[in-house]
Amino acid sequence: MTKQSIIFFDIDGTLLNHDKKLPALTKQSIFKLKELGHKVAIATGRAPFMFEDLRKELEIDTYVSYNGQYVVLDGEVLFTYPLDMMSLEKLTADALLKDHPIVYMDHEDMKANVLKHQYIEESIRSLKIGRFPTHDPHYYKGRELYQALLFCREGEETSYQQSFQDFDFVRWHPVSVDVIPTGGSKAKGIDKIVEKLGFSRERVYAFGDGLNDKEMLLTVENSVAMGNGEEEIKKVAKYVTKSVEDDGIYHGLQMVGLL
């Protein structure tokens, strides 16, 4: 019996290729890991409702979503870290003055504070989830939100970073940044699961490709960057595998000795 490990996978550019498709060999590799007795989990910046189909296809019910703000273990919520509402209200007011729309997100839905905006359509369309936020400028009131999307061009988030100490701004698209609580990250969400399950550090693995994976790959003992990943990410990972388009998950799992 192989000694059990836990492996966390990012979604976009890691499990899914650039067409948002799950490569056949990646799927086979995930089920082989489970057959060998390992625990397989997802660590993503996406909302839970944005990868429900993928969870069902891969039969995964443990995940870190919203870059660590909403964590589920075996189908049960383990940890949440919501945004500060007073700061979010001020951010909304400041962003409206600059024509920078915001999308508010909880575990069930996403709502935009404007009726329509090119940046929202452009960035959300790139996810190919077949769903767009509807309009509700007051959605942030009276509920816990785990992430917001601020829509602005690269570099324009700098002024917000200086003004809002309660938030971290993590770019995921040329016209959009994730807004998460300061100090929140996939790494912290992973820690909650690992601590609960009692895995030792040497039995924890993580695969990622983007800037929001940086802390995860810096923190996890056995970190693997995808060949298609950002150069900054490849530098901090322990291993670099092939591109997602070249069955990088399968080759990476072989590289670290899990397959």
Side-chain angles (χ1 to χ4, degrees), residues 34-222:
K34 291 192 284 187
E35 183 184 319
L36 290 170
H38 299 302
K39 183 81 170 175
V40 179
I42 286 172
T44 180
R46 289 190 182 209
F49 56 81
M50 288 182 174
F51 62 104
E52 188 173 0
D53 289 347
L54 181 63
R55 296 201 306 274
K56 288 178 180 177
E57 183 176 0
L58 294 177
E59 299 176 13
I60 293 175
D61 58 5
T62 295
Y63 57 89
V64 174
S65 62
Y66 282 135
N67 290 316
Q69 314 332 306
Y70 193 85
V71 179
V72 170
L73 173 60
D74 297 329
E76 300 292 331
V77 178
L78 176 65
F79 171 76
T80 62
Y81 187 18
L83 295 165
D84 181 84
M85 285 300 101
M86 289 184 65
S87 294
L88 184 59
E89 188 166 6
K90 185 176 185 304
L91 175 65
T92 297
D94 285 9
L96 280 172
L97 293 175
K98 300 173 182 176
D99 189 30
H100 292 160
I102 292 179
V103 166
Y104 310 110
M105 310 175 80
D106 61 12
H107 62 295
E108 295 178 325
D109 208 349
M110 55 181 173
K111 301 287 186 179
N113 69 336
V114 297
L115 273 171
K116 191 175 182 180
H117 198 285
Q118 177 187 345
Y119 289 0
I120 296 178
E121 294 183 16
E122 180 183 335
S123 57
I124 299 297
R125 187 182 295 112
S126 73
L127 295 173
K128 298 184 179 180
I129 57 174
R131 179 173 178 173
F132 284 84
T134 51
H135 181 229
D136 185 350
H138 305 297
Y139 195 68
Y140 66 90
K141 295 182 178 180
R143 59 168 43 86
E144 285 193 343
L145 299 177
Y146 306 107
Q147 184 169 286
L149 302 178
L150 173 67
F151 297 86
C152 60
R153 293 204 171 275
E154 293 185 49
E156 291 180 328
E157 69 270 29
T158 304
S159 62
Y160 298 107
Q161 291 170 335
Q162 296 168 349
S163 302
F164 293 91
Q165 303 305 311
D166 289 332
F167 300 143
D168 285 335
F169 298 84
V170 183
R171 183 161 293 280
W172 66 275
H173 187 275
V175 296
S176 185
V177 294
D178 292 330
V179 182
I180 61 175
T182 299
S185 71
K186 292 183 182 183
K188 287 184 171 56
I190 286 172
D191 284 345
K192 297 293 181 182
I193 292 174
V194 169
E195 181 181 339
K196 183 72 174 179
L197 295 178
F199 281 95
S200 60
R201 288 180 57 84
E202 62 269 18
R203 304 313 304 176
V204 183
Y205 295 76
F207 286 70
D209 72 302
L211 295 177
N212 65 340
D213 296 316
K214 184 175 180 178
E215 188 168 349
M216 173 178 78
L217 298 183
L218 276 169
T219 304
V220 169
E221 181 77 14
N222 303 291

Side-chain angles (χ1 to χ4, degrees), residues 20-31:
K20 305 303 178 185
K21 302 294 185 183
L22 179 67
L25 192 52
T26 295
K27 183 175 180 177
Q28 293 171 24
S29 299
I30 296 300
F31 279 97

